[in-house]
Amino acid sequence: MEDKLTWIEIQDSIGWIKINREKKLNALNRDLINELHHRLVDFQNDTSVKVIILTGSGDKAFVAGADISEFSNYGPKEASALARHGNQVLFDFIAHMEKPVIAAINGYALGGGLELAMACQLRVAAQHAKMGLPEVSLGVIPGYGGTQRLAALIGKGNAMEMILTGDMIGAEKALRMGLVNAVVPSEQLLEAAITLAHRIIKNAPHSIKNAIKAINATDVASKGFEEENFQFSDCFGTADFEEGIAAFLEKRKPLF
Ligand code: DAK
């Protein structure tokens, strides 16, 4: 089936979702976030789907972040509300799905794109993929669970380095840190995601669902997610935020 912002398909118990905004490096705008939600709900309710694979179109980007052109006018209240909405319908929604979602990271996974991959239960990356949370270079901080999920995956020290520098890392380093489960040559990415999916599909669906719930209970994060939302929205409307966003849109380096 084809649609404007996503493609979906069901094959051998796998529900495929491909983000289809290649020219904008699959950046997440509001419509895309909502459409992804509906795709996930459909797969959640479809008993023929046992595992979901989420990937981006093209070989350049999984998702290069939230769509920066959309949030330049937001103030703190609006930012807080929209981050809550995004978490509810997409990021936390995926993290608490009853069926595993595998992110097949086919290129850049930046900002909201890496947050999306981290919300998935598992991640497989192409060798050329690059990952990072560059929000501080835009005058904000990660607002879709990135401060919490990155620290949980790679430890507080590594998360501090990635978030405070905003630097990108390559796929091999991400593997060493535990940010991704596997790295493969790019032409083998989808096959590797399928193989991983079938290693899960052979197991009991009820157990898979309960295991996800139990593993998620290790999150001491509810307080952390609240704090992230507060600190995230506090960045909006500041001079740093205005400069960071303007610099990106004008394709220049910010002067903080
Ligand atoms: N948003 C919008 N457009 C984007 C984009 C993005 N995140 N990333 C790329 N694009 C667009 C580019 O503007 C360009 O559009 P045209 O100029 O062709 O119209 C097109 O995609 C191709 O990109 P480039 O020409 O830049 O491609 P390059 O190969 O030169 O560079 C790059 C690739 C990935 C290094 C570069 O595109 C890049 O630095 N992209 C931005 C990475 C980034 O900073 N991502 C955002 C992180 S912050 C919020 C919730 C969450 C957030 C914010 C608000 N609320 C609820 C309010 C989260 C924010 C983030 O994700």
Side-chain angles (χ1 to χ4, degrees), residues 23-24 60 64 66-68 71 74 83 112 144 232 248 251:
K23 284 192 180 141
K24 292 289 177 187
K60 195 162 167 188
D67 191 322
I68 297 171
F71 54 80
Y74 292 173
Y144 286 136
F232 167 77
F248 179 83
K251 297 186 188 287

Side-chain angles (χ1 to χ4, degrees), residues 24-241:
K24 292 289 177 187
L25 304 189
N26 300 318
L28 290 173
N29 62 17
R30 249 170 301 181
D31 289 346
L32 177 54
I33 288 177
N34 290 327
E35 188 170 312
L36 283 168
H37 174 73
H38 294 298
R39 298 309 203 186
L40 291 161
V41 169
D42 288 348
F43 282 163
Q44 176 99 290
N45 295 332
D46 187 330
T47 51
S48 73
V49 172
K50 305 277 190 265
V51 171
I52 295 155
I53 299 178
L54 175 63
T55 193
S57 56
D59 56 9
K60 195 162 167 188
F62 171 71
V63 169
D67 191 322
I68 297 171
S69 62
E70 252 186 10
F71 54 80
S72 55
N73 298 322
Y74 292 173
K77 271 197 182 148
E78 205 173 4
S80 169
L82 282 160
R84 279 183 204 286
H85 172 76
N87 280 323
Q88 197 187 342
V89 301
L90 187 59
F91 298 84
D92 288 347
F93 189 84
I94 289 182
H96 294 102
M97 291 257 311
E98 297 186 344
K99 300 173 184 181
V101 183
I102 299 173
I105 304 174
N106 55 307
Y108 289 113
L110 302 175
L114 183 56
E115 291 177 299
L116 180 62
M118 289 194 293
C120 295
Q121 282 70 26
L122 294 158
R123 286 153 291 284
V124 181
Q127 249 158 13
H128 73 281
K130 288 205 169 10
M131 288 155 252
L133 293 177
E135 282 84 347
V136 294
S137 71
L138 293 163
V140 285
I141 67 164
Y144 286 136
T147 62
Q148 306 302 300
R149 293 197 177 101
L150 187 65
L153 284 166
I154 68 173
K156 198 169 160 183
N158 285 326
M160 282 283 182
E161 184 175 343
M162 275 187 76
I163 293 172
L164 301 188
T165 63
D167 289 348
M168 293 184 209
I169 60 168
E172 292 294 345
K173 185 165 181 187
L175 180 65
R176 286 197 300 277
M177 284 176 159
L179 180 51
V180 298
N181 300 87
V183 174
V184 293
S186 76
E187 65 279 8
Q188 292 168 25
L189 179 67
L190 299 186
E191 208 43 55
I194 291 170
T195 304
L196 179 56
H198 283 292
R199 285 168 57 208
I200 298 169
I201 287 166
K202 69 176 174 16
N203 296 317
H206 188 80
S207 303
I208 297 295
K209 179 182 81 174
N210 287 10
I212 292 172
K213 279 194 183 149
I215 295 167
N216 280 343
T218 60
D219 290 351
V220 272
S222 53
K223 240 178 89 192
F225 281 105
E226 270 307 306
E227 184 66 20
E228 181 188 87
N229 185 272
F230 177 78
Q231 299 299 344
F232 167 77
S233 44
D234 177 68
C235 296
F236 283 74
T238 61
D240 280 355
F241 171 74

